[in-house]
Amino acid sequence: MASKSESDANRLDDAARAGWLYYVVGDTQDEIARKLGVSRQSAQRLVSLAVSEQLIKFRLDHPIARCMELSQMISQQFELRMCEVVPSDPAAPFSIAGIAQAGAAEMERHLRSEEPKVIAFGTGRALRACVEQLRPMDCPHHTAVSLLGNMMLDGSATAYNVIIRFAERINCRHFPMPLPPLARTAQEREMFQQQEPVRNILDVATKPDVTFVGIGEIGEAAPMLVDGFITHDEMRALTAAGAVGEITSWVYDESGALIKGLTNDRVTSAPLQKNPDHLRCGIAAGRSKVKAIKAAMKGRLINGLITNEATAEQLLR
């Protein structure tokens, strides 16, 4: 259970967001309610709280004011459906501190829906941290599905798989992908994907209502290289081909276009389509990920973003 001070701080955060949306953006209370996932009455109370706590003067007197400005600028520049920018730790400006809580809050907004939803997931350290911040919920009407394999080449579980932990936290039906993210050959990938259980999972994964993905960089710290799915020679070939980032093991260039051939011929993940008709939210931060995040937004591989202030500043340069 959250302490009273934590609860009060979270409510002030919500009040600051509501106040900023009302007085700076010019949103109506109905629009604020929709964006924050609350009732119209709650939105009205939050705006009133922002005034009574003197968060609203001639400017928003709250630490997240700059973050909200950055999120608005990124949303407009890259035509995103949503963008959440959290404050950076001055001692470690590119750490993922705070992102996990913001990611969990966004997930919970969707989980509160009474209509059944299919929620698709990538994998990675940031996503796993978000899932660990989720409040336990009872959501048997929702379905979770993994977009990529959760196995190493030797059959052991990957370190940052999130789907099973997510399902445990919210008590929902779930579809883990019993494959390595990359097959050894293109022929092996075809063989994997012809299996009936895998076909069923891929079918569910192509029709999500919301998707959450991590964003990986290309280079010596790339997850695919660190985890042993590709070799140093293959990484050098990807770099030479102009690769800057990967989402669910699909590698893309600085324009957000998927690299032709190379490791993309062996990816077992669900297809990564541009311009999704639902929210596909990337959750990532860090200096090494700036190129990858920016390319994913430019190429319309994601239409939502949760990041931190230091990373957001770099994305706008």
Side-chain angles (χ1 to χ4, degrees):
M1 295 290 291
S3 67
K4 186 176 186 300
S5 61
E6 290 173 334
S7 178
D8 290 344
N10 289 338
R11 186 157 179 78
L12 282 180
D13 283 352
D14 289 340
R17 296 178 198 284
W20 188 83
L21 290 170
Y22 188 80
Y23 288 102
V24 179
V25 178
D27 283 350
T28 66
Q29 291 176 356
D30 286 332
E31 290 171 330
I32 294 168
R34 177 178 54 79
K35 289 182 178 181
L36 298 184
V38 300
S39 68
R40 187 180 187 279
Q41 291 76 14
S42 293
Q44 184 178 19
R45 286 194 292 269
L46 287 172
V47 172
S48 297
L49 180 62
V51 175
S52 65
E53 291 294 323
Q54 298 185 347
L55 302 181
I56 300 296
K57 299 176 184 175
F58 292 104
R59 58 184 174 83
L60 185 59
D61 190 15
H62 191 277
I64 66 168
R66 176 56 178 163
C67 294
M68 299 182 77
E69 291 173 355
L70 289 169
S71 68
Q72 186 80 356
M73 293 166 67
I74 290 173
S75 291
Q76 291 177 347
Q77 181 170 329
F78 296 99
E79 299 179 353
L80 301 183
R81 288 192 179 196
M82 63 80 65
C83 180
E84 177 83 6
V85 177
V86 304
S88 295
D89 179 356
F94 289 98
S95 78
I96 63 170
I99 291 176
Q101 291 80 1
E106 180 64 25
M107 292 175 188
E108 288 176 5
R109 288 192 182 99
H110 296 276
L111 292 172
R112 285 195 291 268
S113 170
E114 294 181 0
E115 293 296 321
K117 285 194 174 188
V118 174
I119 304 172
F121 284 94
T123 189
R125 185 166 63 98
L127 280 181
R128 179 62 185 253
C130 293
V131 170
E132 292 298 333
Q133 291 295 322
L134 282 174
R135 294 180 294 109
M137 304 173 72
D138 189 33
C139 303
H141 57 301
H142 294 320
T143 298
V145 62
S146 182
L147 296 172
L148 74 165
N150 54 12
M151 292 168 52
M152 303 295 287
L153 291 172
D154 63 1
S156 61
T158 54
Y160 296 113
N161 173 49
V162 303
I163 191 75
I164 294 175
R165 182 60 173 155
F166 177 82
E168 289 174 346
R169 300 287 284 183
I170 72 157
N171 184 33
C172 73
R173 189 182 187 201
H174 60 290
F175 291 82
M177 185 86 74
L179 297 174
L182 278 79
R184 291 182 177 87
T185 65
Q187 293 74 22
E188 186 179 65
R189 181 186 72 167
E190 294 301 318
M191 180 186 70
F192 284 155
Q193 294 185 336
Q194 289 305 309
Q195 298 176 39
E196 184 176 354
V198 175
R199 291 203 311 270
N200 292 340
I201 294 166
L202 290 172
D203 183 58
V204 175
T206 59
K207 296 175 287 190
D209 295 292
V210 60
T211 297
F212 295 97
V213 295
I215 300 174
E217 71 268 35
I218 295 299
E220 291 303 307
M224 292 191 301
L225 178 62
V226 173
D227 291 342
F229 291 111
I230 66 174
T231 66
H232 287 278
D233 286 343
E234 288 172 322
M235 179 55 68
R236 283 190 283 270
L238 288 171
T239 302
V244 300
E246 63 91 6
I247 294 175
T248 62
S249 297
W250 291 103
V251 179
Y252 53 89
D253 64 19
E254 65 180 357
S255 70
L258 296 183
I259 298 292
K260 295 185 182 299
L262 301 177
T263 61
N264 279 349
D265 282 344
R266 299 190 283 119
V267 176
T268 63
S269 310
L272 183 64
Q273 305 291 352
K274 288 191 173 186
N275 297 314
D277 59 3
H278 64 283
L279 174 63
R280 185 187 291 156
C281 181
I283 302 178
R287 191 188 306 275
S288 64
K289 293 180 182 285
V290 169
K291 286 185 179 180
I293 297 169
K294 181 177 287 189
M297 293 190 294
K298 287 171 62 177
R300 304 292 191 266
L301 298 177
I302 59 173
N303 54 21
L305 176 67
I306 296 174
T307 190
N308 64 14
E309 185 177 2
T311 305
E313 297 277 9
Q314 293 287 322
L315 289 171
L316 291 167
R317 288 184 180 176

